[in-house]
Amino acid sequence: MRYGIIGAGAMGYRYGVLLQEKAGVPVDFIETWDPNREQVREQGGVYVSRDHENRHLVPINIYAPEEYDGHPDVWIVFKKQMQLATELERDAAAGLFTDDQYVFSAMNGLGHFEKLAQHFNPDQMLAGTAMIATVLNGPGDVDFMGPENGEAMHMAPYNDQAPDETMEEIYADFQRATLGPEMSNNWLGMCLTKVAFNAVCNTLCTMFEINMGQFGAYPGAAEMAVQLFNEAHDAAARAGIKMIENRGQQVQSVLDSCVKLKYHYPSMYQDFSKGRPTEVDYINGYIARLGRKNDYPCRTHEFVTHEVHLAEQMRNSKN
């Protein structure tokens, strides 16, 4: 099958390059950030490193939406939550989407699948989550964090149906690409489990401008994680959503990740440090709204959401 990547950022590059190099499938990249697209064309591909080493050039096909006349079988979408609706409208106006295409996304936060369902048949949508740390150093330059073959992800049909033949083929391609997929039949619980993880690691590392190793080295890290996870799991239970990991497993996942990816600065911090808006409203803010909707205020998540926005405001006032 042919894959189209919407968003040639850190994760878009990682999925696309691994599918192209490891699975041997054709991949096209759609990119609306002009400096990124132009840099790739100028240098003849994207520079790829792993843990800051073995930097090498990987030739890729990259296009603006209006330039592209290909027809992928599957779109893989990695955009920031705040940018997605505008991106999809531009892509649709360029004629990129057809009724036969499937779509997969493992974006951080929640709120994107409703937007994707406006352009794709929900029966042809795959939800995903990725425990995969990646850094975009700049236009046309990406760093895969973590050991080779250490990637891990979950995927599930959006409507929790049994995966069809095309979905099974996508799963097989992800396996060959060494992305470490696991298939689930609980898309919302799967995604909310990852949102809860990000609500600890991404948000706390951003608030204190530290990497994951520094957070994990704090003696009270587990206790802080327990407080945030308890609220997330209580809110999910009241909403009738079954998480795919229990509270203890989630705390241990944070601690393990802080060792495995100790030098990694999460994507929310990367946005914050570069003066871009963060996705906190789609992570801690999503959990807070879910709790309020079900008469269970998640006061810690509400508080840290405000703290991140306050930090954004203070950062912007200094610039």
Side-chain angles (χ1 to χ4, degrees), residues 242-261:
K242 181 174 175 56
M243 309 279 258
I244 65 170
E245 292 181 352
N246 63 37
R247 301 167 200 234
Q249 289 172 323
Q250 288 227 265
V251 173
Q252 192 60 50
S253 177
V254 166
L255 299 178
D256 291 345
S257 295
C258 286
V259 173
K260 179 181 175 181
L261 301 169

Side-chain angles (χ1 to χ4, degrees), residues 13-212:
Y13 277 137
R14 190 152 187 175
Y15 269 70
V17 167
L18 289 175
L19 280 165
Q20 181 175 297
E21 291 199 318
K22 301 289 189 179
V25 296
V27 178
D28 298 319
F29 292 81
I30 306 300
E31 179 57 87
T32 55
W33 184 31
D34 295 341
N36 191 23
R37 192 176 63 251
E38 291 163 4
Q39 183 67 32
V40 169
R41 288 175 174 171
E42 180 180 329
Q43 63 197 22
V46 57
Y47 279 102
V48 176
S49 310
R50 187 177 285 270
D51 290 332
H52 316 308
E53 298 179 350
N54 189 31
R55 186 171 182 265
H56 62 287
L57 189 67
V58 177
I60 63 170
N61 302 318
I62 194 165
Y63 309 86
E66 295 76 15
E67 300 171 330
Y68 187 60
D69 61 1
H71 185 269
D73 301 290
V74 183
W75 288 108
I76 295 176
V77 180
F78 279 110
K79 295 292 290 187
K80 294 296 180 182
Q81 290 278 0
M82 304 80 73
Q83 303 167 348
L84 181 61
T86 300
E87 170 77 34
L88 293 174
E89 289 168 5
R90 178 172 171 179
D91 295 338
L96 269 58
F97 304 147
T98 57
D99 291 343
D100 61 318
Q101 292 172 325
Y102 282 64
V103 64
F104 165 86
S105 183
M107 291 165 48
N108 282 339
L110 271 169
H112 48 300
F113 295 110
E114 295 86 346
K115 298 181 182 74
L116 289 168
Q118 296 176 23
H119 299 273
F120 296 92
N121 181 344
D123 290 340
Q124 295 166 201
M125 290 171 50
L126 276 166
T129 63
M131 298 295 288
I132 300 174
T134 314
V135 176
L136 186 67
N137 297 319
D141 191 340
V142 66
D143 197 345
F144 298 174
M145 308 301 292
E148 194 164 359
N149 299 316
E151 289 82 357
M153 57 165 286
H154 284 85
M155 55 194 294
Y158 176 62
N159 57 9
D160 289 337
Q161 66 181 6
D164 63 22
E165 185 176 346
T166 299
M167 293 176 179
E168 294 285 6
E169 191 171 350
I170 295 167
Y171 175 83
D173 283 341
F174 284 177
Q175 281 188 311
R176 286 190 287 270
T178 69
L179 287 162
E182 290 187 29
M183 189 70 81
S184 172
N185 61 356
N186 174 15
W187 82 269
L188 185 53
M190 175 191 77
C191 290
L192 189 57
T193 300
K194 177 66 187 312
V195 169
F197 174 92
N198 286 343
V200 176
C201 290
N202 291 34
T203 307
L204 296 181
C205 285
T206 299
M207 287 169 56
F208 297 100
E209 300 187 72
I210 56 177
N211 60 35
M212 291 180 65

Side-chain angles (χ1 to χ4, degrees), residues 192 231-232 234-236 238-239 284-299 301-302:
L192 189 57
E231 284 191 355
D234 287 347
R238 284 161 173 76
N284 300 80
Y286 182 92
I287 294 170
R289 291 190 300 276
L290 181 70
R292 285 283 179 185
K293 183 178 178 181
N294 292 278
D295 299 318
Y296 178 75
C298 298
R299 300 194 186 280
H301 286 280
E302 291 179 345

